[in-house]
Each structure stands twice: as C-alpha cells, then as structure tokens.
Amino acid sequence: MSRIPVAILGPTGYTGLELIELILSHPTLSVGWLGSARENPPSIVAEFPRLAGRLAGMAPTMCAAIDHDAIAASCRLAFLCLPHEAAMHHAPALLARGVKVVDLSAAYRLKDPAVYAKAYGHAHTDGANLRHAVYGLPELAREQIRGASLVANPGCYPTAAALALVPLLRAGLIRPESIIVNAASGASGAGREAKPHLTMVEAGDNYSAYGIGNHRHQPEIEQTLRISGGAAGSRVLFVPHLLPIARGILETIYAEPITAATATSDVQAVFKSAYASEPFVVVRDEAPTLRDVQRTNMVHLNARVVGGRVILVAAEDNLTKGASGQAIQNANLMLGLPETAGLLAG
Ligand SMILES: NC(=O)c1ccc[n+]([C@@H]2O[C@H](COP(=O)([O-])OP(=O)(O)OC[C@H]3O[C@@H](n4cnc5c(N)ncnc54)[C@H](OP(=O)(O)O)[C@@H]3O)[C@@H](O)[C@H]2O)c1
C-alpha cells in the first residue's frame, strides 16, 4: 500500500520531533514536507541527531521553506506545530488549497474570538475558519473529527482534565462550580526555545506553581466542560506547576459530589462505563504515576471519594496524548484510517 505523505510545519520543535518519531512507526503515513520559516531551512538530522539513519523513504532529511502550493501538490494533510499566530497565518492558505489541517497550537481551540484575544493577548485573525474548526478530542467528538477539514488539537492540560471531568458531569455526579484542577507538567510543555526559568539551574531540583488564576488553558477547560459536559455553570480553579522532568502531566482534581452518599465505586463505575471501548483511556484502581504513561498515547484515570470530596488523578504524556499522539489520532480519523494506527506500538 502506498503511503500518504503529510506535512509538518515547525518540525524543529518538540511536538514536531514527536510527530516525526510517531510517523516513522506509522503503517500508512510518511512525511512529505518539513516546513521551516528560517532563512536557511536546516537539516532535520542536524537538529535532532537521534533521527540519523532512520528517515530513509519516510521523510526528507532537509527542511524546506513553507510553500503552500507545493505542500498542496504533495500532501493531503498538514500538522501545524507552530506558535498560535503563525498557525493562524498558514492554516487558511493550506485549507484554501484543499489540505486538511491539524493545528497543535491554540489558534482554533476557543470558539469565542474575544475569549481568545483575552487569553492570548492578540486578536484572532481567522474567524471564518474558527467557525468550522472541530475541537479534536476524539473520545468526545469522534464523528465530527472524521468529517473535519480543520481540527484544533486540544491543549495538553485540558486533554487530561476534560477526560477526567466530562463523564462525571454528564452523569450528574459532581458540582460544576466546585472543580479544582491541580496540575504539573514536565518542562517540554513550554517548547524548545531557551527560557531562563527552564534552565537546569532554575528548574532542576525545584518545583513551582505558575499562571495561578490566569493560565490560558483555564478557559479551554471550561469551554469543554460546558460544551461536552453539558455543565453551563462550570468554573475551574486551575493551578499548573512546573516539574523538573522532561515530559509528562499529572493532574489531581477535586470536586464536590452532588449527593453525600456518592461512593468511590459510583465514580469508578462511571469512568469504566464511559471508557470501556476507548483504546487510549485506562481506568485504574490505583492512582497512576507519570512513568505509567510517558512515551505512550494513553491517559490513565483513577477516582475515589475521600472525606466527602471526589478526587481524580489523571496522567498523560504532554507530547503524545497531550499533543502529537493526539494529533496522529485526529489525522487517522480525518484520513479514514484506523484510529489507533501508529499509536499502540511500545
Ligand atoms: N510542548 C507541548 O507539550 C505542547 C503540547 C500541546 C500543544 N503545544 C503547542 O504546539 C505548538 C508547538 O509547540 P512546541 O512545544 O513544539 O514548540 P517549540 O518546541 O517551541 O517549536 C516551535 C516550532 O515553530 C517554529 N516557529 C517558530 N516561530 C515560527 C514562525 N513565525 N513561523 C514558522 N515557524 C515558526 C520553530 O522553528 P525554529 O526552530 O526555527 O524556531 C519550531 O519548529 C505550540 O503552539 C504549543 O503551544 C505544545
């Protein structure tokens, strides 16, 4: 079977590298275009020597300038691993040429452009495509994703929070105004660009909260709980932390049950029923750890009731289920391939 070439714009970042790695073990996709905005597009092997000797027939070794016509001539789908504003520049040009787009940035995640502008500090410039973009959480919107030309790949923190909370809101088990999401991410969540607070001296052997009460993912989590959880009054207190490790997200989530009689078995039963046939969600009897999910596309969930509170623990890898793995899951659906293709190999 001939492979389907796809483009990666922004291949020199962490989500770009992760996509290349995933496509190398994908049964049907290959990389047709590595698009860089640098004046002299680099060799991807020079950027990431771990790719040396592994690309033959599966990806070019050199990045190329981003040429929308040439990409459309060779690729059916493009992954945008770019800053939000750059994604808003390239997505319309690719969509107009018939290329399907999976955007890993936040450019098309928030439905209301005013909420986007407030969270991201710049105006939304592509309202036309924002209106038809599908929020790409397959466990909640599989059929819409299959028919979409533009998928907004969810944020890393919102993916774990939504998968933990939506089934419980739908089942009417927790109070939507009572939710606290206490989350921690490895440093790759902030991207590859050098930042002083991410150096080993600052972040290593350390642990810190950031973005308390004003993190950009808070409105995204609330939007999903409203739209998919059906909880109009959802309010989330979201506190992210920086973990001194490379990759992984662990979220401990607290909520008040609607009835005092709610037991651990009730909450776990809702999880088990919601995710019985989901290939990438595992419901655990014990709280998961990051090691259980690193370098996999899985989300591990556990729920219990302690002292009258529902406590949920969700773990995922920010670069796979939180970004590039989920992007492949979405692309598989958009291209009519098996949803798990290329994602279950160990
Ligand atoms: N890291 C995560 O865990 C994660 C999770 C979910 C979503 N995301 C989102 O995914 C996107 C990519 O994240 P990342 O972590 O891969 O970022 P990154 O490591 O900083 O990489 C960004 C990529 O975009 C390129 N780029 C920067 N400015 C550009 C421009 N104006 N035009 C074209 N290319 C440009 C960079 O190229 P150069 O090498 O030339 O700078 C690089 O290839 C971001 O929007 C991020 O918010 C990230």
Side-chain angles (χ1 to χ4, degrees):
M1 180 180 172
S2 63
R3 288 184 178 270
I4 301 173
V6 295
I8 301 175
L9 274 53
T12 51
Y14 288 144
T15 61
L17 172 62
E18 190 71 12
L19 270 169
I20 296 170
E21 294 269 6
L22 288 166
I23 291 172
L24 287 180
S25 60
H26 196 287
T28 314
L29 302 182
S30 62
V31 180
W33 199 277
L34 294 171
S36 167
R38 292 192 202 171
E39 199 176 334
N40 297 307
S43 150
I44 197 68
V45 177
E47 284 288 316
F48 299 119
R50 59 179 281 106
L51 296 175
R54 299 170 58 207
L55 299 181
M58 291 293 285
T61 52
M62 292 299 295
C63 296
I66 300 172
D67 177 334
H68 300 129
D69 288 324
I71 291 171
S74 58
C75 299
R76 281 170 60 190
L77 182 143
F79 296 99
L80 308 188
C81 303
L82 303 170
H84 322 296
E85 287 163 295
M88 255 188 286
H89 170 71
H90 292 292
L94 291 164
L95 290 164
R97 289 164 174 78
V99 180
K100 293 174 188 277
V101 170
V102 178
D103 176 26
L104 282 82
S105 86
Y108 297 94
R109 291 181 200 153
L110 295 168
K111 303 286 176 205
D112 182 341
V115 175
Y116 176 86
K118 188 167 177 227
Y120 288 89
H122 53 256
H124 202 288
T125 56
D126 186 21
N129 286 311
L130 180 61
R131 277 188 283 283
H132 69 82
V134 173
Y135 188 74
L137 201 43
E139 290 76 8
L140 303 181
R142 185 165 281 119
E143 293 315 312
Q144 286 170 279
I145 294 165
R146 281 189 218 282
S149 55
L150 170 59
V151 163
N153 212 58
C156 46
Y157 287 122
T159 291
L163 291 175
L165 286 162
V166 165
L168 306 188
L169 288 168
R170 284 181 177 168
L173 271 182
I174 54 172
R175 293 187 188 283
E177 71 286 359
S178 73
I179 298 165
I180 297 172
V181 179
N182 191 45
S185 173
S188 62
R192 194 176 179 214
E193 194 185 325
K195 297 171 187 108
H197 73 286
L198 296 179
T199 61
M200 197 175 85
V201 175
E202 301 289 338
D205 203 19
N206 201 354
Y207 183 62
S208 53
Y210 64 97
I212 301 171
N214 62 9
H215 192 279
R216 296 161 163 191
H217 285 175
Q218 179 157 337
E220 185 181 333
I221 297 170
E222 289 175 340
Q223 174 180 278
T224 306
L225 300 189
R226 274 198 311 277
I227 294 174
S228 297
S234 282
R235 279 206 311 278
V236 173
L237 181 56
F238 174 56
V239 183
H241 298 73
L242 177 62
L243 268 178
I245 60 172
R247 53 197 291 164
I249 282 181
L250 193 120
E251 300 186 358
T252 309
I253 302 175
Y254 308 87
E256 288 172 19
I258 289 190
T259 60
T262 302
T264 296
S265 56
D266 300 323
V267 197
Q268 283 283 89
V270 169
F271 271 172
K272 285 181 178 163
S273 157
Y275 294 124
S277 56
E278 286 298 342
F280 297 114
V281 185
V282 176
V283 180
R284 300 270 304 271
D285 291 329
E286 297 298 328
T289 74
L290 285 182
R291 195 162 294 161
D292 304 334
V293 294
Q294 279 161 333
R295 296 191 180 275
T296 80
N297 197 50
M298 313 304 284
V299 174
H300 284 206
L301 299 175
N302 170 258
R304 66 190 68 201
V305 179
V306 181
R309 298 283 168 122
V310 175
I311 302 177
L312 314 172
V313 181
E316 67 171 20
D317 188 314
N318 57 295
L319 288 175
T320 37
K321 185 59 176 166
S324 305
Q326 184 138 269
I328 294 279
Q329 203 181 337
N330 282 317
N332 286 341
L333 289 166
M334 295 163 82
L335 294 170
L337 304 173
E339 185 176 336
T340 57
L343 292 171
L344 286 175

